[in-house]
Amino acid sequence: QVQLAESGGGLVQAGGSLRLSCAVSGSRGTMTVMGWYRQAQGKERELVASITKAGTTNYVDPVKGRFTISRDNANNTVYLQMNSLKLEDTAVYYCYVESWVAVWKSIYWGQGTQVTVSS
């Protein structure tokens, strides 16, 4: 059974930093893309950042230059370093992973971690 364990969320003042971590266990497939979505109250879930196994990254425009995604393939962990946090970054952050076994792709999600940015 694939499990994603997130950590690192919390309350921070605007301008501060947080680092989210997501450790994946139980996967027998090849984890290609890993990343983070977020969902603010009353809004749809949106992709924040993603990273391929080779290290190619992708960011949504509002976080470019402030957030950095990275991964440790040896330990099946993905990170999201969030700097210069803004009030609008407040949301529940979910990590995800795309896992391939032969030609079958599965997507797994973490349980979510709350990030709250205060003024």
Side-chain angles (χ1 to χ4, degrees), residues 67-81:
F67 290 11
T68 302
I69 189 170
S70 61
R71 63 189 281 177
D72 179 347
N73 291 327
N75 292 299
N76 296 332
T77 302
V78 62
Y79 304 95
L80 186 66
Q81 178 66 43

PDB file of all heavy atoms in Angstrom, residues 67-81:
ATOM      1  N   PHE A  67       9.120  29.856  -4.348  1.00  0.00           N
ATOM      2  CA  PHE A  67       9.083  28.452  -3.944  1.00  0.00           C
ATOM      3  C   PHE A  67      10.101  27.656  -4.749  1.00  0.00           C
ATOM      4  O   PHE A  67      10.341  27.940  -5.927  1.00  0.00           O
ATOM      5  CB  PHE A  67       7.700  27.864  -4.212  1.00  0.00           C
ATOM      6  CG  PHE A  67       6.602  28.374  -3.320  1.00  0.00           C
ATOM      7  CD1 PHE A  67       6.777  29.474  -2.485  1.00  0.00           C
ATOM      8  CD2 PHE A  67       5.360  27.747  -3.312  1.00  0.00           C
ATOM      9  CE1 PHE A  67       5.765  29.941  -1.672  1.00  0.00           C
ATOM     10  CE2 PHE A  67       4.328  28.190  -2.506  1.00  0.00           C
ATOM     11  CZ  PHE A  67       4.529  29.295  -1.691  1.00  0.00           C
ATOM     12  N   THR A  68      10.657  26.635  -4.103  1.00  0.00           N
ATOM     13  CA  THR A  68      11.580  25.730  -4.774  1.00  0.00           C
ATOM     14  C   THR A  68      11.207  24.298  -4.451  1.00  0.00           C
ATOM     15  O   THR A  68      11.116  23.933  -3.274  1.00  0.00           O
ATOM     16  CB  THR A  68      13.030  25.988  -4.344  1.00  0.00           C
ATOM     17  OG1 THR A  68      13.389  27.351  -4.620  1.00  0.00           O
ATOM     18  CG2 THR A  68      13.985  25.069  -5.100  1.00  0.00           C
ATOM     19  N   ILE A  69      10.994  23.520  -5.490  1.00  0.00           N
ATOM     20  CA  ILE A  69      10.687  22.108  -5.299  1.00  0.00           C
ATOM     21  C   ILE A  69      11.947  21.285  -5.552  1.00  0.00           C
ATOM     22  O   ILE A  69      12.754  21.623  -6.433  1.00  0.00           O
ATOM     23  CB  ILE A  69       9.528  21.649  -6.219  1.00  0.00           C
ATOM     24  CG1 ILE A  69       9.067  20.244  -5.856  1.00  0.00           C
ATOM     25  CG2 ILE A  69       9.926  21.753  -7.694  1.00  0.00           C
ATOM     26  CD1 ILE A  69       7.785  19.827  -6.554  1.00  0.00           C
ATOM     27  N   SER A  70      12.124  20.243  -4.771  1.00  0.00           N
ATOM     28  CA  SER A  70      13.258  19.352  -4.957  1.00  0.00           C
ATOM     29  C   SER A  70      12.837  17.944  -4.535  1.00  0.00           C
ATOM     30  O   SER A  70      11.786  17.762  -3.907  1.00  0.00           O
ATOM     31  CB  SER A  70      14.469  19.824  -4.135  1.00  0.00           C
ATOM     32  OG  SER A  70      14.156  19.842  -2.757  1.00  0.00           O
ATOM     33  N   ARG A  71      13.642  16.976  -4.901  1.00  0.00           N
ATOM     34  CA  ARG A  71      13.311  15.599  -4.523  1.00  0.00           C
ATOM     35  C   ARG A  71      14.587  14.817  -4.249  1.00  0.00           C
ATOM     36  O   ARG A  71      15.646  15.092  -4.813  1.00  0.00           O
ATOM     37  CB  ARG A  71      12.469  14.911  -5.588  1.00  0.00           C
ATOM     38  CG  ARG A  71      13.124  14.740  -6.932  1.00  0.00           C
ATOM     39  CD  ARG A  71      12.122  14.244  -7.984  1.00  0.00           C
ATOM     40  NE  ARG A  71      11.873  12.811  -7.877  1.00  0.00           N
ATOM     41  CZ  ARG A  71      10.997  12.158  -8.633  1.00  0.00           C
ATOM     42  NH1 ARG A  71      10.260  12.824  -9.522  1.00  0.00           N
ATOM     43  NH2 ARG A  71      10.823  10.845  -8.483  1.00  0.00           N
ATOM     44  N   ASP A  72      14.436  13.836  -3.399  1.00  0.00           N
ATOM     45  CA  ASP A  72      15.511  12.907  -3.058  1.00  0.00           C
ATOM     46  C   ASP A  72      15.053  11.543  -3.547  1.00  0.00           C
ATOM     47  O   ASP A  72      14.255  10.874  -2.893  1.00  0.00           O
ATOM     48  CB  ASP A  72      15.736  12.925  -1.544  1.00  0.00           C
ATOM     49  CG  ASP A  72      16.830  11.970  -1.104  1.00  0.00           C
ATOM     50  OD1 ASP A  72      17.259  11.125  -1.906  1.00  0.00           O
ATOM     51  OD2 ASP A  72      17.254  12.065   0.058  1.00  0.00           O
ATOM     52  N   ASN A  73      15.541  11.137  -4.704  1.00  0.00           N
ATOM     53  CA  ASN A  73      15.078   9.886  -5.307  1.00  0.00           C
ATOM     54  C   ASN A  73      15.472   8.666  -4.472  1.00  0.00           C
ATOM     55  O   ASN A  73      14.747   7.677  -4.427  1.00  0.00           O
ATOM     56  CB  ASN A  73      15.628   9.745  -6.726  1.00  0.00           C
ATOM     57  CG  ASN A  73      15.005  10.750  -7.677  1.00  0.00           C
ATOM     58  OD1 ASN A  73      13.831  11.115  -7.540  1.00  0.00           O
ATOM     59  ND2 ASN A  73      15.777  11.216  -8.648  1.00  0.00           N
ATOM     60  N   ALA A  74      16.598   8.741  -3.821  1.00  0.00           N
ATOM     61  CA  ALA A  74      17.050   7.600  -3.015  1.00  0.00           C
ATOM     62  C   ALA A  74      16.113   7.344  -1.845  1.00  0.00           C
ATOM     63  O   ALA A  74      15.945   6.197  -1.410  1.00  0.00           O
ATOM     64  CB  ALA A  74      18.463   7.839  -2.519  1.00  0.00           C
ATOM     65  N   ASN A  75      15.508   8.406  -1.338  1.00  0.00           N
ATOM     66  CA  ASN A  75      14.627   8.280  -0.181  1.00  0.00           C
ATOM     67  C   ASN A  75      13.163   8.536  -0.512  1.00  0.00           C
ATOM     68  O   ASN A  75      12.332   8.645   0.400  1.00  0.00           O
ATOM     69  CB  ASN A  75      15.077   9.243   0.922  1.00  0.00           C
ATOM     70  CG  ASN A  75      16.412   8.838   1.508  1.00  0.00           C
ATOM     71  OD1 ASN A  75      16.554   7.750   2.055  1.00  0.00           O
ATOM     72  ND2 ASN A  75      17.409   9.711   1.372  1.00  0.00           N
ATOM     73  N   ASN A  76      12.862   8.632  -1.803  1.00  0.00           N
ATOM     74  CA  ASN A  76      11.459   8.797  -2.242  1.00  0.00           C
ATOM     75  C   ASN A  76      10.761   9.946  -1.527  1.00  0.00           C
ATOM     76  O   ASN A  76       9.645   9.798  -1.029  1.00  0.00           O
ATOM     77  CB  ASN A  76      10.671   7.502  -2.033  1.00  0.00           C
ATOM     78  CG  ASN A  76      11.197   6.363  -2.875  1.00  0.00           C
ATOM     79  OD1 ASN A  76      11.766   6.581  -3.946  1.00  0.00           O
ATOM     80  ND2 ASN A  76      11.019   5.147  -2.403  1.00  0.00           N
ATOM     81  N   THR A  77      11.442  11.070  -1.477  1.00  0.00           N
ATOM     82  CA  THR A  77      10.917  12.229  -0.759  1.00  0.00           C
ATOM     83  C   THR A  77      10.932  13.451  -1.666  1.00  0.00           C
ATOM     84  O   THR A  77      11.890  13.659  -2.416  1.00  0.00           O
ATOM     85  CB  THR A  77      11.751  12.498   0.505  1.00  0.00           C
ATOM     86  OG1 THR A  77      11.731  11.331   1.335  1.00  0.00           O
ATOM     87  CG2 THR A  77      11.173  13.667   1.288  1.00  0.00           C
ATOM     88  N   VAL A  78       9.878  14.237  -1.560  1.00  0.00           N
ATOM     89  CA  VAL A  78       9.812  15.496  -2.289  1.00  0.00           C
ATOM     90  C   VAL A  78       9.654  16.627  -1.277  1.00  0.00           C
ATOM     91  O   VAL A  78       9.009  16.455  -0.236  1.00  0.00           O
ATOM     92  CB  VAL A  78       8.652  15.489  -3.314  1.00  0.00           C
ATOM     93  CG1 VAL A  78       7.297  15.321  -2.634  1.00  0.00           C
ATOM     94  CG2 VAL A  78       8.672  16.730  -4.184  1.00  0.00           C
ATOM     95  N   TYR A  79      10.270  17.755  -1.592  1.00  0.00           N
ATOM     96  CA  TYR A  79      10.265  18.907  -0.698  1.00  0.00           C
ATOM     97  C   TYR A  79       9.707  20.127  -1.423  1.00  0.00           C
ATOM     98  O   TYR A  79       9.792  20.234  -2.637  1.00  0.00           O
ATOM     99  CB  TYR A  79      11.682  19.228  -0.229  1.00  0.00           C
ATOM    100  CG  TYR A  79      12.400  18.081   0.430  1.00  0.00           C
ATOM    101  CD1 TYR A  79      13.256  17.264  -0.310  1.00  0.00           C
ATOM    102  CD2 TYR A  79      12.231  17.810   1.783  1.00  0.00           C
ATOM    103  CE1 TYR A  79      13.920  16.200   0.278  1.00  0.00           C
ATOM    104  CE2 TYR A  79      12.900  16.757   2.390  1.00  0.00           C
ATOM    105  CZ  TYR A  79      13.743  15.961   1.634  1.00  0.00           C
ATOM    106  OH  TYR A  79      14.403  14.902   2.228  1.00  0.00           O
ATOM    107  N   LEU A  80       9.187  21.034  -0.628  1.00  0.00           N
ATOM    108  CA  LEU A  80       8.772  22.332  -1.155  1.00  0.00           C
ATOM    109  C   LEU A  80       9.256  23.400  -0.187  1.00  0.00           C
ATOM    110  O   LEU A  80       8.725  23.525   0.912  1.00  0.00           O
ATOM    111  CB  LEU A  80       7.253  22.412  -1.336  1.00  0.00           C
ATOM    112  CG  LEU A  80       6.752  23.678  -2.026  1.00  0.00           C
ATOM    113  CD1 LEU A  80       7.224  23.722  -3.476  1.00  0.00           C
ATOM    114  CD2 LEU A  80       5.231  23.792  -1.962  1.00  0.00           C
ATOM    115  N   GLN A  81      10.274  24.132  -0.610  1.00  0.00           N
ATOM    116  CA  GLN A  81      10.770  25.253   0.176  1.00  0.00           C
ATOM    117  C   GLN A  81       9.991  26.490  -0.222  1.00  0.00           C
ATOM    118  O   GLN A  81       9.989  26.878  -1.394  1.00  0.00           O
ATOM    119  CB  GLN A  81      12.266  25.467  -0.085  1.00  0.00           C
ATOM    120  CG  GLN A  81      12.865  26.652   0.644  1.00  0.00           C
ATOM    121  CD  GLN A  81      12.877  26.468   2.148  1.00  0.00           C
ATOM    122  OE1 GLN A  81      13.204  25.395   2.649  1.00  0.00           O
ATOM    123  NE2 GLN A  81      12.513  27.515   2.874  1.00  0.00           N
TER     124      GLN A  81
END
